[in-house]
Amino acid sequence: MLLQSISENAIMMTLPYTPDSSAYLIAVKQQLENQSFIVEAVVGYRTITVYFDPLRISHQKMKKVITATSEQKQTEKINGRLHHIPVCYDKTFGIDIAHVMKNKKLSWQKVVALHSNPTYNVSFLGFSPGFPFLTGMDQTLATPRKDKPRLEVPQGSVGIAGGQTGIYPSTSPGGWQIIGRTPVNLLPLADDRPTLLAPGDQIRFYPITKIEFEQLQKEERIKNDN
């Protein structure tokens, strides 16, 4: 374990990567955020960055708190939500699904089944606000990201990069292989938290048709306007 002071009010802890790193770091985050002098704890693949009130606790004492918390056996259940996210895998939206099919020698139906079957864990949010990095994908679908990223990937696009999958919360550049799109807004902003998803949450995808996508998209726009 490595602890680094990265600013006057932040310390980063870095761990060696293991398959259980994500769940462990999320559990540590929840334990740390119970402390009144901690402002926020942000989880990455192998890191957790702890922002604290330097007027209430020193760097040295904060490092001791982080060390003690990380050494505890994290037995508490992660407090996360289960989200059922609709995805339209039609080739109109899944602009790279043909590439994945060819690369993995799979039918369209098999790609959809393999992608929508698992329960995914939200390991952390990054790249852009609200972008969930999801673990738990069937590695049969693992496909390298594009050699040349697109300048614009539409909001709601669902993609694959290596052995992971994720959702673009907003239109942005990106190099993931896009296999579908969801009409669900991942950045509600007006709700009790600014992003729909949070580390520790889980996702189940389910396939929908283009007609269902358009109807749900209309409903989502009406909900966001109100």
Side-chain angles (χ1 to χ4, degrees), residues 89-108:
Y89 294 94
D90 186 273
K91 292 181 181 179
T92 304
F93 299 134
I95 50 183
D96 296 313
I97 198 167
H99 170 77
V100 175
M101 291 163 56
K102 181 179 179 181
N103 183 270
K104 310 306 294 187
K105 297 181 172 59
L106 297 169
S107 66
W108 179 87

Side-chain angles (χ1 to χ4, degrees), residues 46-224:
R46 298 190 299 118
T47 65
I48 182 167
T49 303
V50 183
Y51 296 88
F52 59 94
D53 184 347
L55 300 179
R56 300 181 63 186
I57 187 170
S58 67
H59 270 250
Q60 185 177 3
K61 289 183 178 179
M62 188 68 250
K63 286 184 177 180
K64 290 181 179 179
V65 170
I66 295 172
T67 300
T69 303
S70 66
E71 290 176 349
Q72 293 173 6
K73 187 175 181 180
Q74 301 299 328
T75 57
E76 291 191 14
K77 183 179 179 181
I78 295 174
N79 298 317
R81 303 176 184 177
L82 174 62
H83 305 264
H84 294 273
I85 304 290
V87 177
C88 181
Y89 294 94
D90 186 273
K91 292 181 181 179
T92 304
F93 299 134
I95 50 183
D96 296 313
I97 198 167
H99 170 77
V100 175
M101 291 163 56
K102 181 179 179 181
N103 183 270
K104 310 306 294 187
K105 297 181 172 59
L106 297 169
S107 66
W108 179 87
Q109 291 84 354
K110 189 64 175 177
V111 170
V112 172
L114 288 171
H115 189 262
S116 59
N117 185 58
T119 297
Y120 295 95
N121 296 309
V122 181
S123 294
F124 67 98
L125 304 181
F127 167 60
S128 66
F131 188 107
F133 285 80
L134 307 177
T135 55
M137 187 179 75
D138 189 312
Q139 293 306 289
T140 305
L141 290 176
T143 308
R145 66 181 64 212
K146 302 183 77 63
D147 293 333
K148 184 178 180 181
R150 290 186 173 89
L151 296 178
E152 186 174 288
V153 177
Q155 175 182 329
S157 294
V158 177
I160 291 173
Q164 64 192 0
T165 187
I167 311 169
Y168 285 75
S170 56
T171 300
S172 67
W176 292 41
Q177 305 288 352
I178 305 304
I179 63 169
R181 193 181 303 174
T182 178
V184 173
N185 178 21
L186 301 190
L187 297 173
L189 301 178
D191 291 345
D192 59 343
R193 54 183 181 179
T195 59
L196 176 66
L197 307 174
D201 284 358
Q202 292 185 311
I203 286 180
R204 290 297 305 270
F205 292 122
Y206 64 94
I208 58 174
T209 65
K210 283 181 68 176
I211 293 174
E212 290 172 317
F213 177 94
E214 291 165 359
Q215 180 59 39
L216 288 171
Q217 188 176 56
K218 288 178 183 177
E219 294 174 4
E220 194 77 12
R221 286 172 178 167
I222 292 171
K223 183 174 68 175
N224 293 331

Side-chain angles (χ1 to χ4, degrees), residues 15-59:
L15 298 176
Y17 175 76
T18 68
D20 298 325
S21 294
S22 176
Y24 173 76
L25 288 170
I26 292 168
V28 171
K29 164 188 167 71
Q30 293 181 350
Q31 289 291 318
L32 287 171
E33 289 184 334
N34 289 331
Q35 305 289 341
S36 60
F37 47 80
I38 291 179
V39 178
E40 184 182 16
V42 180
V43 171
Y45 263 131
R46 298 190 299 118
T47 65
I48 182 167
T49 303
V50 183
Y51 296 88
F52 59 94
D53 184 347
L55 300 179
R56 300 181 63 186
I57 187 170
S58 67
H59 270 250

